[in-house]
Amino acid sequence: MLLFQLPDDVLYHILSHLDCRSLSRLSLVCKSMHRFVNRDAVWRRIAKEFLNTGITWNGTDIYPHIPLKERVKIAQNWGKGVCKRAVSLKWKTKLLPWLQLDKDVLFLSQAANIGAYYVHQDSGRLQRNPFEIYSGHNGDVCRFVLTDSHLISGGSDGKILVHSRASDMLTELSGHNQEVNCLDSKAGLIISGSRDRTARIWNLNSSCPRDTIPMCDRVWSVAISPTLSSFAMGTACCENLSPLCIWDVERLECVCNLGSEYRRGAGVLDMVFESPFKLFTCGYDTFIRQWDLRLSPQKFVMEWEEPHDSTLYCIQTDGNHMIASGSSYYGVVRLWDKRKTECLQFFQLSSDLVSSPVYCLRFSSSHLYAALATTLHSLDFRRSPICIR
C-alpha cells in the first residue's frame, strides 16, 4: 500500500510527528501527497506554536481565507525579524496619530480627521489618498474604535462622534468637558475615559451618557471585557491609588484593583483583553503585564520589561504567543514571545536625530503598521524563509 492510500485519520496521525521542513519535502513527492499535505488540518498543530499565524489560544482562526502553510512561512519571518521596511505616509506637523486595521482598510487619525486607506493585497502598501474622511471634531482626535457598523471617535474637544460606516449619518455624544483620552465599544456599549477624571458609559443609540463614574485621577485607557459585563480602566496614577481596576457595568462598582506596587506617575496607557479572564496592560512604568482575573488576590502572572526603560505607549497581541509593543524613544517596535521573558526582535523606525514615540501599532498576518509623530511605517514579513519552499 502506498502512503497516500492510507485512511485520512491514519495519515493525519503520521504527519503530526513531522516538522515544517519535513512536511514541505513530503509535499514534493507527488501531486496526491502535495494536495493532502497542503490541507490546513495538517498544519494546524504546527501553526499553534508559531507567532502570528492567526490561530488564537482557544483555536479560533482569525485568517481562514489564507492557507495555514503560507501563514507558517510568514510566521518564521516574524520570529526571525526578517522583513522589508517602508514609509507609507508622511506629514509635516507633529501629531499623536491612532490606527485601526479592518481587513484591507487602514484607518489613520491625523489632527481632527480620520482617513480610510485601501491596503493593496499584493504589496501591503497604502493607497496614496484616503477614499473616505471622517471629520467633525473641533480639535485633534485622541482615540477611535471600529465596530462592524460604526466608527466612534473621541477628541480633545471633549466630544464623542459616532460615524455610520454605511451612510453619512453622524451622532454627537456630549458629556465630557475635557479631552477624551480613551474609549472602547462592543455590542452597542461604549465606554469612554477623559482628562476630566470621569469615565462614562453610553448606549450606541443614545446621545446622553447612561452612567458617569467619577474618578480621583485622569483616565488614560479603557477596555471592555468580551463578556460585556465588566471593563478595565487605567488612570494616570497621580494619586495614591492603584491605576488599574475592573468595574462592573451594571452595578457600577469597582470589582477589584489590579496590583498595588506602582510608583507615582506609572499610568496605564493601553490595555487589551485577550479573553474574559486574560488582560494585558502597558504604560509609563515600562512593563507589559499579563493579568489573570480569575485569581484572588489579583496579581500579574507574567511581565515583560522594556530593556531601555522607555514608556510603552501601545500593545497588540495575536491572541496566542505574540505581543507587539511601541515605546517612547526612537520609534522602537518590539516583538515578544509570551513563552520567553526577553525581547524576541526589535525595530528602530525613527532616526537618532529625530526621536518619536510609537503612538499606535496594528498588524495583520503579514504586515505591521506603526504610527509615529510625522510618519506611518510598514513592515512586510512576506519574504520567503529557507526552511519551507
Side-chain angles (χ1 to χ4, degrees):
M1 180 179 289
L2 298 175
L3 181 64
F4 63 83
Q5 293 177 326
L6 291 170
D8 284 0
D9 56 343
V10 175
L11 194 51
Y12 279 131
H13 181 72
I14 293 173
L15 299 186
S16 69
H17 295 277
L18 301 183
D19 59 17
C20 56
R21 180 186 290 269
S22 300
L23 284 174
S24 297
R25 289 176 173 174
L26 184 61
S27 69
L28 302 176
V29 171
C30 64
K31 291 182 179 180
S32 297
M33 189 56 66
H34 182 270
R35 285 193 295 268
F36 191 93
V37 170
N38 281 357
R39 294 180 183 179
D40 279 1
V42 174
W43 290 89
R44 183 166 291 273
R45 176 191 60 83
I46 293 175
K48 289 180 180 179
E49 300 303 314
F50 281 88
L51 302 182
N52 195 28
T53 58
I55 304 297
T56 64
W57 67 276
N58 61 1
T60 302
D61 193 344
I62 301 175
Y63 311 115
H65 59 289
I66 306 175
L68 268 178
K69 180 182 177 181
E70 296 302 314
R71 283 182 267 167
V72 171
K73 286 183 183 181
I74 299 170
Q76 293 177 88
N77 292 335
W78 284 90
K80 296 177 181 178
V82 178
C83 65
K84 182 179 180 180
R85 307 186 194 188
V87 176
S88 298
L89 293 173
K90 289 184 178 181
W91 51 91
K92 295 181 179 180
T93 306
K94 288 188 177 181
L95 304 173
L96 278 71
W98 195 253
L99 296 172
Q100 293 291 353
L101 187 61
D102 182 21
K103 298 178 182 178
D104 61 345
V105 179
L106 183 77
F107 296 82
L108 169 67
S109 66
Q110 294 173 288
N113 297 324
I114 301 169
Y117 298 82
Y118 281 123
V119 179
H120 296 288
Q121 291 295 319
D122 295 335
S123 64
R125 294 181 179 178
L126 267 63
Q127 186 182 26
R128 185 167 185 177
N129 298 311
F131 68 88
E132 190 166 0
I133 296 177
Y134 299 86
S135 58
H137 285 284
N138 298 324
D140 289 356
V141 174
C142 299
R143 289 288 189 276
F144 68 92
V145 64
L146 292 175
T147 69
D148 292 337
S149 57
H150 293 85
L151 184 151
I152 306 164
S153 60
S156 59
D157 54 5
K159 296 179 182 178
I160 297 174
L161 300 182
V162 181
H163 303 263
S164 172
R165 296 178 63 181
S167 67
D168 294 331
M169 185 175 178
L170 174 64
T171 304
E172 180 180 323
L173 311 182
S174 299
H176 292 291
N177 54 39
Q178 294 187 45
E179 65 188 61
V180 180
N181 293 320
C182 54
L183 54 83
D184 195 12
S185 179
K186 286 184 176 68
L189 177 70
I190 302 173
I191 309 288
S192 61
S194 171
R195 183 180 286 270
D196 65 8
R197 302 190 177 198
T198 65
R200 297 180 188 268
I201 302 175
W202 316 73
N203 291 324
L204 188 60
N205 56 3
S206 176
S207 60
C208 298
R210 191 184 83 185
D211 295 293
T212 299
I213 302 174
M215 301 295 295
C216 299
D217 212 340
R218 292 164 291 174
V219 182
W220 285 140
S221 54
V222 293
I224 301 174
S225 168
T227 64
L228 305 179
S229 60
S230 62
F231 67 94
M233 182 174 4
T235 64
C237 198
C238 292
E239 305 294 336
N240 294 321
L241 299 170
S242 171
L244 185 57
C245 51
I246 306 295
W247 283 76
D248 187 279
V249 172
E250 296 300 328
R251 291 180 295 163
L252 294 182
E253 294 180 355
C254 180
V255 178
C256 64
N257 292 315
L258 302 183
S260 57
E261 298 179 358
Y262 291 93
R263 65 176 184 265
R264 190 177 181 86
V268 179
L269 295 177
D270 199 12
M271 54 178 65
V272 178
F273 269 106
E274 209 171 66
S275 74
F277 57 84
K278 190 184 296 185
L279 176 69
F280 291 85
T281 63
C282 72
Y284 284 112
D285 66 350
T286 76
F287 282 92
I288 302 170
R289 290 191 172 92
Q290 175 186 336
W291 307 84
D292 190 333
L293 304 185
R294 298 170 297 183
L295 301 179
S296 182
Q298 281 72 20
K299 296 182 178 180
F300 61 86
V301 294
M302 286 285 290
E303 67 176 4
W304 299 267
E305 185 177 10
E306 217 291 331
H308 293 158
D309 200 31
S310 302
T311 297
L312 294 174
Y313 275 75
C314 53
I315 53 173
Q316 189 185 0
T317 77
D318 68 348
N320 194 22
H321 296 308
M322 190 180 84
I323 306 173
S325 65
S327 66
S328 59
Y329 292 112
Y330 300 112
V332 171
V333 172
R334 295 186 186 275
L335 302 183
W336 309 80
D337 188 329
K338 297 174 190 174
R339 297 163 293 187
K340 304 176 182 179
T341 56
E342 296 182 354
C343 170
L344 183 65
Q345 300 291 340
F346 81 95
F347 310 92
Q348 182 178 326
L349 302 182
S350 64
S351 67
D352 293 337
L353 298 177
V354 182
S355 175
S356 169
V358 178
Y359 290 110
C360 187
L361 56 82
R362 293 290 182 265
F363 57 77
S364 63
S365 63
S366 58
H367 287 77
L368 185 146
Y369 301 93
L372 279 65
T374 59
T375 50
L376 175 68
H377 293 255
S378 66
L379 280 66
D380 184 351
F381 289 87
R382 292 180 302 176
R383 291 181 58 184
S384 297
I386 298 174
C387 65
I388 298 185
R389 299 185 185 275

